[in-house]
Amino acid sequence: MEVKTSNVAKRLGVSPKTVQRWVKKYNIPCQKNEAGHYVFDAETITLLEQIKFEHGATLEEEEVGLEEEHGLCPDTFLSTYIQPHLDKFTARLHRVERQLEQKADEVVSFQLLQHRKEIEELHAYIRQLEQRLALLEEQQKQADDAPKRPKRRGVSRIMGMFV
């Protein structure tokens, strides 16, 4: 029994082009009719089913779909349709990175100014404390240098209240 490519393709669940590609790719011995079309026998169909099971049809179908849809090989499709989008995305990514770096620089600058202001305020506060400390030391020195009156005891203390 001889079966045509389209019938084999339906049986395998792939396109006729995929069946033809498998015949060429895996060097499957196949007869051709008077019109030059492949004619498959039961043994060849079994071999094709085994190929489908082992290698899967989805990858072949995707490659054929791309080629038929765009008339391009995968490399040409990549450079024609994917690469421009990839280039735009890369440019946008670089722009965002530059903006992020600029924003980080601005934040660091602001923080440095804030820290500088805080340090200046602390210096002013330390100067005030030094002045107060110096004043207190001066007062203590004056108190230590003042003549001391002897403490009165007994009657002289009572008499000192009336004077």
Side-chain angles (χ1 to χ4, degrees), residues 33-91:
N33 63 13
E34 308 85 41
H37 299 289
Y38 290 118
V39 180
F40 299 91
D41 58 353
E43 185 179 314
T44 308
I45 294 172
T46 305
L47 183 58
L48 286 169
E49 287 174 337
Q50 184 179 6
I51 289 171
K52 181 183 178 191
F53 177 77
E54 289 176 5
H55 300 285
T58 54
L59 182 60
E60 295 288 333
E61 287 291 313
E62 288 175 1
E63 289 176 5
V64 171
L66 283 177
E67 290 175 10
E68 290 175 354
E69 182 180 336
H70 300 289
L72 304 172
C73 69
D75 291 336
T76 307
F77 179 77
L78 176 70
S79 64
T80 304
Y81 294 99
I82 304 297
Q83 194 63 42
H85 295 291
L86 188 59
D87 292 341
K88 283 182 189 177
F89 177 75
T90 304

Side-chain angles (χ1 to χ4, degrees), residues 118-129:
E118 291 171 4
I119 289 171
E120 288 173 357
E121 290 173 356
L122 287 172
H123 279 286
Y125 185 68
I126 288 172
R127 279 190 229 110
Q128 286 178 351
L129 288 175

